[in-house]
Amino acid sequence: MTPTVNDDPFGTGEIRDRVLRAWERSPARFREDANAEEDYALGGYRDRVVVELAQNAADAAVRAGVPGRLRLTLRGAVLTAANTGAPLDAAGVEALSTLRASAKRDDAGAVGRFGVGFSAVVAVSDRPAIASARTGGVEWSAERARALAARIPALREELDRRGGHVPLLRLPFPLDETLDETLDVPDGFDTAVRLPLRDDEAAGRVREQLRQAGPALLLALPALTCVEIDIDGDTRTLTAERDEAAGAVVIDGTRWHTVEDHGVLPPGLLADRPAEERARPVWQVRWAVPDTGDLAGTPAVVHAPTPGDERLDLPALLIASFPLAPDRRHVAPGPLTDFLVERAADAYARLLRALPATTRLLDLVPGPVAAGELDARIRRAVLARLPEVPLLPVAGGARVRGRDAVAVDGPAAFVELLGGGDDPVVPGLLPPAWPVRHAALGALGVRRLDLADVIDELAALDREPAWWRGLYETLTGAPADALGALPVPLAGGDRLVRGPRGLLVAADGVDPAHLGALGLRFVHPDAVHPLLPRLGAVEAGPRAVLADPAVRAAVEGSLDADEPDEIAEAVLGLVRAAGVEPGEEPWLAELALPGADGDLYPAGELLLPDSPLRDLVAADAPFGVADAGLVERWGADVLAAAGVLEVFAVARAEDVEPAALAAGDVTLHLDDEDRWADDVLARVGDRELPPLLPELHAVRDLELVDDWDAALRLLAGRPRLRAAVVEPAHVTRHDGRRVAVPSYTAWWLRRHPVLDGRRPTEFRLPGEDELLAGLYDPAPAGLDRAFLLALGVRTSLADLLAEPDGAQELLDRMGDPERTVPRRHLGRLWTALADCASAVEPPERVRAVVDGEVEVVDAVDALVLDRPDLLPLLRGQPLVIASHGDAAEHLAELLDLPPASEEIEGVVRTEGEKRPVPEAVRAVLPDAPGTYLAHDRLVVDGVFVPWWCGDGQAHATGPWGLARALAWLAGRWEARLSVEAVLRDPDALPTLLAENDLEP
């Protein structure tokens, strides 16, 4: 549509004349106008040409009372804006050409307020133009304005200084249709603006503004219903469908919730504002928030009403009539801004109250970090109001204030159970979908409860057991550490206890109703749930019930209980159902049971009527006999499992410290248990930390036996009893090594006269080590070898000496005249003692050799033979002789006896001839001395001897003596016979060596 042709419909000539005359009269006015236009174009209104064109379009629609439509078209380097509404008129042209003199001062519905927004076009164009189809058009031209200004001599210098820049908007011109470029108003529109863009940079900035234009444009300018944006043929359309009743706007399919407030300003709030603002004393606040939660690219700034530079990081759009500073981009401080901050906070609270009660509300609660001073003030004002606003949903659809709400950090089903129904467990409880840890809940004053805190408070509830089971179902996946105090209803009453740990859940075969006398805590059957065992409740079959501390306590106190029969009935029923084996639960032996005499006894002190122990133990043994009715009711097997004795009882214990047992710090109530522990410690040897017995099995009451022949047969024939004798105990040292030691039972039996009226250690096994023959009697027949070994019956000299007191026992028996020791064994026995590391008490009598015969003599009369050349000087002297010379020194020290060499003076009284040792001897004795002293007669201490080496030299009277002297000095006493043979017949050496090769 072509504008109406008129030479100058808007009186632009008169405007230009007026402006030029003013410049001519006052060049400073020219500078002022030029500076002001630059400030607006390059400062407050830079990069706002699209927004300002939209604002003018909205104002035109308001003035005409029609829906506002705007089409923005960018073709190459030309931007065209077409809009509907009131056409251009003379007042409008004058306002556009007169800075800060708006034609809309009396138009309360207009958005523009100051008459300077159009100056934004100067930032991108040197020849803007406006035309209306009905009233005509107007244009501005930097080139034509510069030419007119140049005609004024007083301005030429200023023009040169400014590089030719003039305030072009001050000099309007009629639209010149003779130019190549025409300005047509598109059909359906009333006015069009054409902006030939200055350069590529300007075109780029405009293109970017067009791309960024979005929903905020229609929300800030409600007079606009449609904005078309065409960038070189790529067109998109923004449309707004307004639902005034619902306070909503749908823009391109996105629903925006809005809330608006407005009114008349008290005069006092405008006292510091310019006259133009005081003439329009109205205020307006509008908030908009999209359903999607995303501002869809809307700048995060305050719109006043178009976007400025005041950051607002709330996820909502704020459009408010804040007063602006001269830069047109920032809100001016003062009473009016203070007033509008409070009104904005009121409106924001109403906006959130009107929104659906979903978790998205939490994202709209301001956080603590602001983007600027104004943002911080708005946040503080909003946060001061929100805790008192009923925003949060609870059961039944009601909404409550934050300080009246509770958020529980727990499973959804759990939260739903607590908050549901007509009588919620936790009033004001937020639905389970609401995030408990969201920072907004704290800002709203919501009380947060951890799961453990809620669980702790549940103990005050009065609910049926089935309700509790439903509660447990909701907590199936909850962390166990938060459920430690979970209330649990007990069977047999209305008790509610904190925490499932240690409670019993009755399994098949267990009826809590029959176990009341035991003080057990069973979960009520209607409340049983799989969660409870996961939290420490025990799925209690008969065996698990027996393991409960309450059962043990009842058993231990049964002798003094008011109703011991009920305790016995309950416990024996559990023993039968659990299939307990005798001795498996030794503590059951304290269960009070009736005896045949009518008295109560601990089960461990009762004998079954047919028990073989009745004939084995002494008449005064402290045992009763079980009541016949008791045996008939429960049977011998159940009573034996409960500790009633058919045979010996076996004590069982774990992790026993022998040191503590030896010191009496602990007790197993076994005869001489401290002495056994001392023996164990002696066998284990040196230790840095106390050793440990992981398991201990011991037969009780051995000290009460009267018939040991029958008792040993019983111990050997019953597997459980036999194992306690023959299986050693294993001690674990601090370094992890295990050491086998005799069991307590075997140890005790060894030390008592239980075998044929004597201690078992006084016997030997026939056919074993011949060195023990004569020292020990053969063991009596009737018991097997393994059992006799466990009793300590001797088997070998080595095993005897391995015993802690074995060396002393051997020494004592060797000094016993009633014992016999063959000459062939004696040297080996003394050598074994010498080699033993054990200390002994010096003996009073010793078994010695006197002139070739074995005799038991007083120890003070005996010598230890340490050299064989001394024998001719010791006739009639009792001698202790080891089987090799090296043992003599040790033996003398062990027995505290003098060596024979210390008692003999040993002076050689005859002269000898030094001779070389024959070379053939070295083949048999490589270490033999090189020479020897040959004597016709060799006299030592007045006694004729065949050889001597007491002075370190070999003295001899012939081959017999020389062979012995050389062998002794070479330390090869066993080679003496071979050396003698070589000396007597050197030619026999090859044969002798061959014979020696045959020796093993």
Side-chain angles (χ1 to χ4, degrees):
M1 183 184 296
T2 303
T4 302
V5 177
N6 190 313
D7 290 342
D8 190 4
F10 302 119
T12 61
E14 181 182 350
I15 296 173
R16 290 195 303 278
D17 291 343
R18 185 168 64 248
V19 170
L20 291 171
R21 286 196 300 270
W23 288 350
E24 184 176 17
R25 287 195 299 269
S26 176
R29 179 63 180 274
F30 171 80
R31 289 176 58 197
E32 180 182 335
D33 289 347
N35 289 339
E37 188 173 278
E38 277 190 326
D39 286 344
Y40 292 134
L42 303 180
Y45 288 89
R46 69 185 183 279
D47 298 330
R48 289 183 57 170
V49 63
V50 170
V51 171
E52 293 300 331
L53 291 174
Q55 180 172 299
N56 287 338
D59 289 341
V62 169
R63 290 198 301 273
V66 299
R69 292 176 52 233
L70 172 65
R71 177 185 293 167
L72 297 167
T73 304
L74 179 62
R75 287 290 185 272
V78 178
L79 173 64
T80 303
N83 64 270
T84 59
L88 183 66
D89 56 17
V93 171
E94 184 172 5
L96 294 175
S97 301
T98 305
L99 289 175
R100 296 188 61 79
S102 175
K104 298 175 282 189
R105 65 188 301 172
D106 296 324
D107 189 350
V111 177
R113 291 177 286 171
F114 310 120
V116 294
F118 192 67
S119 62
V121 302
V122 179
V124 295
S125 178
D126 289 335
R127 219 178 90 208
I130 303 178
S132 292
R134 289 176 290 164
T135 59
V138 63
E139 66 178 357
W140 293 265
S141 169
E143 181 180 356
R144 295 171 68 183
R146 191 178 302 112
L148 291 178
R151 296 176 186 176
I152 302 174
L155 300 183
R156 290 172 187 166
E157 182 179 355
E158 182 65 23
L159 279 173
D160 291 341
R161 184 178 291 112
R162 289 182 173 275
H165 173 71
V166 294
L168 68 90
L169 291 182
R170 297 288 277 121
L171 300 175
F173 298 91
L175 188 62
D176 188 350
E177 293 296 333
T178 64
L179 299 176
D180 292 339
E181 297 178 355
T182 61
L183 179 55
D184 292 333
V185 178
D187 291 340
F189 292 90
D190 298 306
T191 301
V193 177
R194 183 186 68 212
L195 300 178
L197 302 177
R198 181 176 296 117
D199 49 30
D200 290 344
E201 180 185 357
R205 299 203 324 258
V206 169
R207 183 173 284 103
E208 184 61 26
Q209 291 179 53
L210 291 173
R211 289 196 184 104
Q212 291 179 354
L217 205 60
L218 296 174
L219 291 168
L221 303 171
L224 294 179
T225 60
C226 178
V227 176
E228 300 174 37
I229 300 173
D230 180 351
I231 303 175
D232 296 328
D234 184 7
T235 304
R236 62 188 177 97
T237 303
L238 301 172
T239 60
E241 300 177 10
R242 304 183 187 279
D243 184 349
E244 300 295 342
V249 181
V250 179
I251 301 176
D252 291 344
T254 298
R255 185 177 182 86
W256 291 72
H257 296 274
T258 64
V259 65
E260 182 176 334
D261 203 355
H262 56 271
V264 177
L265 292 167
L269 296 179
L270 296 170
D272 61 346
R273 302 306 300 160
E276 292 282 350
E277 290 186 55
R278 294 199 300 272
R280 298 174 63 192
V282 295
W283 62 272
Q284 183 182 46
V285 169
R286 181 184 305 120
W287 286 96
V289 61
D291 273 344
T292 60
D294 182 6
L295 288 181
T298 302
V301 296
V302 175
H303 289 60
T306 51
D309 287 347
E310 294 286 358
R311 290 286 304 280
L312 183 69
D313 277 353
L314 289 174
L317 180 65
L318 172 60
I319 305 150
S321 55
F322 281 105
L324 298 178
D327 64 1
R328 321 313 308 155
R329 288 184 171 271
H330 292 88
V331 172
L336 179 55
T337 295
D338 299 343
F339 173 81
L340 290 174
V341 165
E342 297 299 320
R343 302 293 77 74
D346 291 339
Y348 194 81
R350 288 196 292 110
L351 171 69
L352 267 58
R353 180 68 179 88
L355 290 175
T358 66
T359 57
R360 186 172 167 242
L361 281 175
L362 300 179
D363 296 330
L364 295 171
V365 175
V369 180
E373 181 181 355
L374 182 62
D375 188 21
R377 294 180 61 190
I378 293 173
R379 286 169 183 266
R380 288 196 297 269
V382 169
L383 289 175
R385 289 163 171 75
L386 290 186
E388 298 299 322
V389 178
L391 299 177
L392 305 174
V394 294
R399 297 174 75 161
V400 299
R401 298 174 299 181
R403 68 179 185 181
D404 298 328
V406 178
V408 170
D409 187 4
F414 174 74
V415 175
E416 188 172 351
L417 175 65
L418 297 188
D422 297 333
D423 183 19
V425 175
V426 181
L429 186 60
L430 293 181
W434 286 64
V436 177
R437 298 300 170 189
H438 201 294
L441 293 181
L444 295 175
V446 175
R447 183 166 67 106
R448 292 193 185 101
L449 292 177
D450 290 331
L451 181 58
D453 296 332
V454 180
I455 294 298
D456 194 54
E457 293 183 6
L458 294 179
L461 292 179
D462 182 13
R463 294 290 192 275
E464 293 297 321
W467 184 90
W468 288 104
R469 188 187 191 287
L471 178 77
Y472 305 151
E473 178 64 28
T474 68
L475 294 170
T476 299
D481 57 356
L483 305 180
L486 186 66
V488 182
L490 299 183
D494 57 357
R495 288 183 60 201
L496 192 68
V497 297
R498 291 178 183 266
R501 182 167 298 280
L503 299 184
L504 302 178
V505 176
D508 292 341
V510 175
D511 184 358
H514 295 156
L515 303 175
L518 300 180
L520 297 167
R521 300 192 305 166
F522 279 94
V523 177
H524 195 288
D526 293 343
V528 171
H529 186 274
L531 174 67
L532 299 179
R534 184 166 72 87
L535 299 178
V538 179
E539 294 184 6
R543 190 170 291 273
V545 175
L546 270 178
D548 190 277
V551 176
R552 178 171 294 196
V555 168
E556 292 173 350
S558 58
L559 276 175
D560 299 320
D562 294 335
E563 300 292 341
D565 292 343
E566 293 184 9
I567 296 175
E569 184 77 11
V571 172
L572 292 175
L574 291 171
V575 170
R576 172 186 284 170
V580 177
E581 294 294 327
E584 188 176 356
E585 301 291 347
W587 55 272
L588 288 172
E590 297 187 48
L591 178 65
L593 296 175
D597 57 4
D599 291 337
L600 287 178
Y601 292 81
E605 296 180 12
L606 278 178
L607 301 177
L608 290 171
D610 57 354
S611 169
L613 287 183
R614 296 184 66 178
D615 298 325
L616 296 181
V617 297
D620 59 351
F623 291 125
V625 177
D627 178 75
L630 181 71
V631 177
E632 183 180 358
R633 167 79 172 87
W634 293 105
D637 291 343
V638 172
L639 294 178
V644 177
L645 300 177
E646 178 201 8
V647 292
F648 291 105
V650 176
R652 301 172 186 267
E654 295 180 352
D655 296 333
V656 177
E657 291 188 6
L661 199 61
D665 295 335
V666 297
T667 181
L668 303 174
H669 304 291
L670 300 171
D671 185 49
D672 285 341
E673 59 186 17
D674 54 337
R675 294 177 57 198
W676 171 72
D678 282 331
D679 186 80
V680 169
L681 296 174
R683 291 173 182 271
V684 171
D686 293 339
R687 56 203 176 276
E688 295 180 12
L689 295 173
L692 188 70
L693 274 163
E695 288 185 306
L696 186 148
H697 296 170
V699 176
R700 291 186 180 278
D701 303 323
L702 296 175
E703 69 276 14
L704 302 179
V705 173
D706 194 36
D707 183 353
W708 273 110
D709 288 342
L712 289 179
R713 289 194 299 272
L714 180 64
L715 291 172
R718 297 294 181 99
R720 187 164 61 91
L721 300 178
R722 179 184 178 88
V725 177
V726 302
E727 293 181 4
H730 289 89
V731 180
T732 302
R733 291 165 49 103
H734 70 278
D735 56 6
R737 291 193 304 113
R738 300 178 72 208
V739 179
V741 298
S743 68
Y744 163 82
T745 309
W747 175 90
W748 193 96
L749 292 172
R750 291 179 184 187
R751 281 156 177 77
H752 291 82
V754 300
L755 187 60
D756 218 10
R758 295 158 63 186
R759 290 184 301 163
T761 56
E762 297 181 29
F763 295 95
R764 64 177 174 84
L765 280 176
E768 299 285 338
D769 194 339
E770 65 174 5
L771 292 176
L772 300 183
L775 292 174
Y776 293 89
D777 297 333
L783 296 172
D784 62 274
R785 182 178 187 277
F787 194 78
L788 289 173
L789 288 178
L791 293 182
V793 172
R794 303 305 183 187
T795 58
S796 69
L797 179 62
D799 288 342
L800 171 63
L801 294 179
E803 296 281 342
D805 297 325
Q808 186 68 55
E809 182 175 324
L810 175 62
L811 185 61
D812 292 343
R813 284 186 171 262
M814 289 177 65
D816 183 358
E818 301 297 323
R819 298 291 164 185
T820 60
V821 178
R823 172 68 185 268
R824 69 182 185 277
H825 293 168
L826 186 57
R828 293 168 63 187
L829 290 172
W830 283 125
T831 300
L833 271 172
D835 292 340
C836 177
S838 299
V840 296
E841 291 291 330
E844 293 183 359
R845 292 180 299 179
V846 295
R847 195 169 294 265
V849 176
V850 183
D851 295 337
E853 299 295 329
V854 178
E855 298 181 16
V856 176
V857 301
D858 291 337
V860 295
D861 296 331
L863 297 176
V864 176
L865 180 65
D866 55 338
R867 287 204 333 258
D869 59 344
L870 296 172
L871 285 171
L873 306 178
L874 297 171
R875 298 187 186 281
Q877 173 66 47
L879 297 176
V880 175
I881 306 174
S883 61
H884 60 80
D886 292 342
E889 181 180 353
H890 297 151
L891 191 59
E893 182 179 356
L894 181 72
L895 302 179
D896 196 20
L897 296 178
S901 62
E902 294 180 2
E903 301 296 318
I904 301 297
E905 185 177 2
V907 178
V908 178
R909 303 293 183 182
T910 58
E911 295 291 332
E913 179 185 352
K914 181 178 289 189
R915 296 178 183 177
V917 173
E919 194 62 32
V921 172
R922 298 195 180 281
V924 179
L925 198 65
D927 296 330
T931 62
Y932 73 98
L933 293 172
H935 294 260
D936 291 333
R937 295 181 77 247
L938 178 59
V939 178
V940 177
D941 290 349
V943 178
F944 172 76
V945 297
W947 65 283
W948 184 260
C949 58
D951 56 359
Q953 299 184 77
H955 300 260
T957 60
W960 189 89
L962 179 58
R964 282 155 177 76
L966 293 177
W968 185 261
L969 289 175
R972 292 280 307 283
W973 181 246
E974 73 280 1
R976 64 192 183 279
L977 298 180
S978 297
V979 174
E980 181 183 356
V982 170
L983 289 172
R984 293 185 183 281
D985 184 5
D987 293 337
L989 179 61
T991 302
L992 181 64
L993 292 176
E995 290 176 351
N996 288 343
D997 289 340
L998 293 174
E999 293 183 1

